[in-house]
Amino acid sequence: MQITIPKERREHEKRVSATPDTVKKFVSLGFNVVVEKGAGVQSQITDVQYEAAGASIATTSKAAYLAADIILKVQHPLMKNEGIIDELSLIKDGAILISILDPLRNSKHLKIYASKNISAFAMEFMPRITRAQSMDVLSSQSNLSGYSAVIDAASEFSRAFPMMMTAAGTIAPAKVMIMGVGVAGLQAIATAKRLGAVVSATDVRSAAAEQVESLGGKFIMVDTDEDGETAAGYAKEMSEDYKLRQAALISETLKKQDIAITTALIPGRPAPVLITDDMVFSMKSGSVIVDLAVEAGGNCSLSKPGETIVSDNGVIIIGNLNMPSRLAADASALYAKNLLNFIMPHVSKKGAELSIDWEDEIIIGTLLTKGGAIVNDRLKGKS
């Protein structure tokens, strides 16, 4: 079977779906690996490195896709009118596509996967079970997003992070608040603490308190009997009463903060607004907000996708897109390993082909289309 690694063509995407290390592993298992020319350049991986690992280099996208049995991508393929190449039309009928497919917002793509009899796997639908931790792309990529958010904030903040005691006087430590304590939020807490900041954090899940405190942060949350966690371990939308009380608490807390980093996302829904206009205007001039949910509508009402803006009262609001891609080399290495770990259990004992266990809960959770139909329970009715 041929595994193809195409070049990513979506805007702001610098990652690649395989590294020389994962290519070498696939080749050792008997797969034929084809990498599109220049696919790894923005992740600091050359074609020569891929060739040394045993891959063949395809000079065009058509040549890369032509005989692909398994296609590994970072982002979902371009379709007609989305870019200069209609990648979906190049995928042969019956192929296997493994990628971050964003199916909840791309029903048109789903229909094409089904019509071409593509077995499409969405890596972001990975079940949150122990066995799948090494395949969890949301965790591997969000971890880097949390780190990058703090670095971005520090680069815009006009003061130092740690306390500094000098003969000329003492510099107070920066106060950083993290809103949303998932993987990105926890890494943001850890990174801000390493830089010497005083860190607080909030989340709708009361279970997050122990994690925050274990990293040296202070947990802030209103008293409630509501359960803010889904069965899958994600945050869920809370009642209007909770939102009002939490907003009042956050509003008072934000006034005292130098930096706020928001990470709250609800799968399949617009990101909840955590920082309103009034909250922004209550913050000190020179304060910084980093909105990691800006691509899903934003946690800050004033953030703008792809822009860094300054509010009328001098608050800097950062809305950088595709945060993992800003650390493309590391993000690609982690993502490529996630894909390898996903595929390995389904390689036949003879090698060189897949023998997929269609009843495996990981397969059931991530499989979107098979046999010409949409089969994922989360997507039924989108056909």
Side-chain angles (χ1 to χ4, degrees):
M1 296 183 78
Q2 176 178 308
I3 296 176
T4 285
I5 314 299
K7 183 177 181 180
E8 298 295 326
R9 290 183 166 82
R10 289 195 177 275
E11 193 175 10
H12 308 296
E13 187 53 75
K14 299 179 180 179
R15 293 170 291 178
V16 64
S17 58
T19 62
D21 286 342
T22 61
V23 166
K24 189 179 295 183
K25 184 62 177 179
F26 287 133
V27 171
S28 73
L29 292 169
F31 291 98
N32 175 33
V33 181
V34 174
V35 178
E36 185 176 350
K37 183 179 180 181
V41 169
Q42 295 193 85
S43 295
Q44 289 81 57
I45 305 172
T46 65
D47 292 341
V48 172
Q49 288 174 290
Y50 281 126
E51 287 181 306
S56 302
I57 303 299
T59 56
T60 66
S61 56
K62 185 175 181 179
Y65 280 105
L66 187 62
D69 300 300
I70 304 168
I71 298 155
L72 304 182
K73 287 189 93 290
V74 178
Q75 293 208 42
H76 54 291
L78 293 167
M79 61 185 293
K80 190 176 181 180
N81 301 324
E82 280 192 319
I84 57 174
I85 294 175
D86 181 359
E87 293 176 305
L88 265 175
S89 69
L90 299 176
I91 299 176
K92 72 178 184 180
D93 289 9
I96 294 171
L97 171 64
I98 306 172
S99 178
I100 298 172
L101 296 174
D102 198 12
L104 295 172
R105 294 190 294 181
N106 291 289
S107 58
K108 291 181 180 179
H109 288 75
L110 281 173
K111 294 175 183 177
I112 297 176
Y113 302 152
S115 70
K116 292 173 70 71
N117 194 27
I118 293 170
S119 295
F121 293 90
M123 291 297 290
E124 70 270 42
F125 274 20
M126 189 65 61
R128 284 199 158 181
I129 58 176
T130 301
R131 186 164 56 89
Q133 286 180 350
S134 66
M135 313 169 197
D136 188 348
V137 300
L138 292 182
S139 292
S140 72
Q141 304 303 290
S142 295
N143 190 53
L144 292 170
S145 294
Y147 165 82
S148 189
V150 176
I151 301 305
D152 286 350
S155 70
E156 293 288 348
F157 191 48
S158 61
R159 293 164 50 196
F161 263 54
M163 174 183 283
M164 295 183 182
M165 301 181 72
T166 74
T170 300
I171 296 173
K175 294 180 180 178
V176 177
M177 184 173 188
I178 312 299
M179 305 178 73
V181 190
V183 174
L186 289 171
Q187 182 56 247
I189 293 169
T191 303
K193 286 296 292 183
R194 290 189 199 107
L195 291 176
V198 174
V199 182
S200 58
T202 184
D203 196 284
V204 297
R205 299 165 298 167
S206 57
E210 185 177 348
Q211 295 172 306
V212 171
E213 290 164 1
S214 71
L215 292 171
K218 179 182 178 182
F219 190 66
I220 298 172
M221 182 182 181
V222 296
D223 292 329
T224 181
D225 293 327
E226 292 185 52
D227 184 4
E229 190 169 9
T230 67
Y234 295 100
K236 70 179 184 182
E237 193 163 8
M238 305 295 277
S239 69
E240 290 303 317
D241 175 67
Y242 175 92
K243 290 178 183 177
L244 288 171
R245 291 191 295 124
Q246 181 74 348
L249 176 62
I250 297 305
S251 181
E252 285 303 308
T253 306
L254 273 176
K255 294 177 183 178
K256 308 167 189 175
Q257 304 301 310
D258 299 304
I259 292 167
I261 296 173
T262 67
T263 73
L265 291 167
I266 300 173
R269 302 280 297 277
V273 175
L274 305 179
I275 301 179
T276 63
D277 292 20
D278 288 343
M279 292 179 187
V280 172
F281 296 135
S282 74
M283 296 177 74
K284 298 172 289 187
S285 178
S287 300
V288 179
I289 297 170
V290 182
D291 190 345
L292 287 183
V294 69
E295 291 170 279
N299 294 145
C300 176
S301 58
L302 293 178
S303 62
K304 294 186 178 180
E307 296 184 32
T308 295
I309 64 170
V310 181
S311 69
D312 291 343
N313 63 319
V315 176
I316 302 163
I317 305 170
I318 302 172
N320 289 330
L321 300 173
N322 198 342
M323 292 292 277
S325 188
R326 293 166 64 80
L327 298 168
D330 287 334
S332 295
L334 295 178
Y335 181 75
K337 194 66 180 292
N338 291 147
L339 295 184
L340 175 66
N341 292 335
F342 176 71
I343 291 170
M344 283 290 291
H346 303 283
V347 177
S348 73
K349 293 181 180 179
K350 296 181 292 184
E353 62 182 15
L354 295 186
S355 179
I356 297 175
D357 177 4
W358 299 104
E359 300 303 315
D360 187 307
E361 64 179 311
I362 291 174
I363 295 298
I364 293 171
T366 55
L367 183 64
L368 307 182
T369 58
K370 180 178 180 287
I374 295 173
V375 298
N376 194 287
D377 287 342
R378 294 173 67 176
L379 303 169
K380 294 289 180 66
K382 288 187 176 289
S383 57

